[in-house]
Amino acid sequence: MKLFNRNNLKKSSDEELILLYQEKKDKAYVGELFNRYYHMVFGVGLKYLKSTAEAEDMTMRVFELLFDKLLENEVRNFKSWLYRMSCNECLMKLRKDKKVQTTEVETLEYRLESNSAELDEKMAQEVKLTNLEEKIDSLKEEQKICIKMFYLEELSYNEIANKTDFNLKQVKSFIQNGKRNLKMMMENG
């Protein structure tokens, strides 16, 4: 394992952060995991609890629980483990609040178990998409505008040029450079 300082947190893998937290008990390591996965946990809360406020509360509860759970458990795939933990917290809250019938919670639990591989795949895809969106937002403004219009709004080069102050050659260049920069950012994590 390489030497770490707090400035290297963003470059550390999830597993490295967990090992460092278990070793040093420094909450900054869990804080970095929170920054990486807040949106995923919040999304799970929103899906199950159907309330922004309850999803926010559940998200904070999950990350508070991490301080103890990461010391008690061996975690091999943090994303999947955190996803399941988030689902379980939501199901326990639903059961406690009696917002759904016991049979509905059992059905949700059964679906969670039976679709485990599918959920893992969807979760990984969601994490990639969230990561891609963050990377797009960090592009130069011209590249960001052109990339979003071309790929998200599905506009042609000409339509983009007509809607912006860029000429056709600039639009093509911004898209090409933006794609290259996104690819490099995605490869570097």
Side-chain angles (χ1 to χ4, degrees):
M1 184 183 276
K2 45 191 168 184
L3 288 176
F4 285 91
N5 65 38
R6 289 176 135 206
N7 297 331
N8 291 338
L9 292 180
K10 291 193 183 316
K11 297 177 184 174
S12 302
S13 71
D14 297 343
E15 291 73 24
E16 289 170 329
L17 290 170
I18 292 167
L19 289 172
L20 286 164
Y21 172 68
Q22 290 170 337
E23 178 186 322
K24 300 181 182 198
K25 315 289 187 281
D26 185 341
K27 292 182 178 184
Y29 300 114
V30 177
E32 177 59 28
L33 293 169
F34 175 84
N35 289 335
R36 291 179 187 182
Y37 297 107
Y38 171 84
H39 293 292
M40 180 189 75
V41 174
F42 178 74
V44 169
L46 213 54
K47 176 180 169 186
Y48 282 93
L49 304 174
K50 311 284 190 237
S51 160
T52 302
E54 287 184 1
E56 287 173 352
D57 290 346
M58 188 280 305
T59 300
M60 295 312 294
R61 169 131 176 80
V62 165
F63 281 100
E64 286 171 9
L65 289 171
L66 283 184
F67 294 115
D68 292 329
K69 295 224 181 244
L70 287 176
L71 296 175
E72 299 165 358
N73 296 290
E74 181 181 334
V75 180
R76 294 180 195 259
N77 183 336
F78 181 72
K79 290 179 202 174
S80 296
W81 181 81
L82 181 63
Y83 184 84
R84 282 200 181 86
M85 182 178 151
S86 302
C87 291
N88 289 337
E89 284 300 310
C90 289
L91 292 172
M92 286 192 306
K93 176 156 181 48
L94 289 170
R95 188 178 288 131
K96 179 182 165 209
D97 294 350
K98 296 185 178 19
K99 289 189 176 178
V100 294
Q101 300 296 322
T102 304
T103 54
E104 289 179 73
V105 172
E106 289 168 355
T107 302
L108 289 170
E109 288 173 336
Y110 173 76
R111 266 195 259 146
L112 178 63
E113 292 298 319
S114 64
N115 295 329
S116 180
E118 184 182 321
L119 288 172
D120 286 347
E121 189 177 311
K122 283 183 180 177
M123 181 204 56
Q125 189 67 22
E126 286 177 26
V127 169
K128 284 180 185 175
L129 288 173
T130 301
N131 190 20
L132 180 60
E133 288 173 2
E134 290 171 1
K135 303 290 189 218
I136 288 172
D137 286 338
S138 69
L139 289 172
K140 292 180 181 175
E141 194 62 26
E142 299 86 1
Q143 293 174 3
K144 177 172 50 172
I145 291 167
C146 291
I147 290 282
K148 284 184 174 184
M149 290 178 134
F150 188 74
Y151 288 103
L152 302 179
E153 297 176 31
E154 298 180 351
L155 299 178
S156 69
Y157 293 139
N158 287 327
E159 290 171 319
I160 296 169
N162 290 335
K163 285 189 169 200
T164 63
D165 291 333
F166 312 133
N167 64 43
L168 191 60
K169 188 175 180 180
Q170 287 175 310
V171 169
K172 289 179 181 179
S173 176
F174 292 143
I175 292 172
Q176 182 179 12
N177 291 334
K179 277 175 42 180
R180 185 186 66 243
N181 290 337
L182 280 174
K183 182 179 179 189
M184 288 188 320
M185 285 189 274
M186 293 301 285
E187 288 172 354
N188 295 329

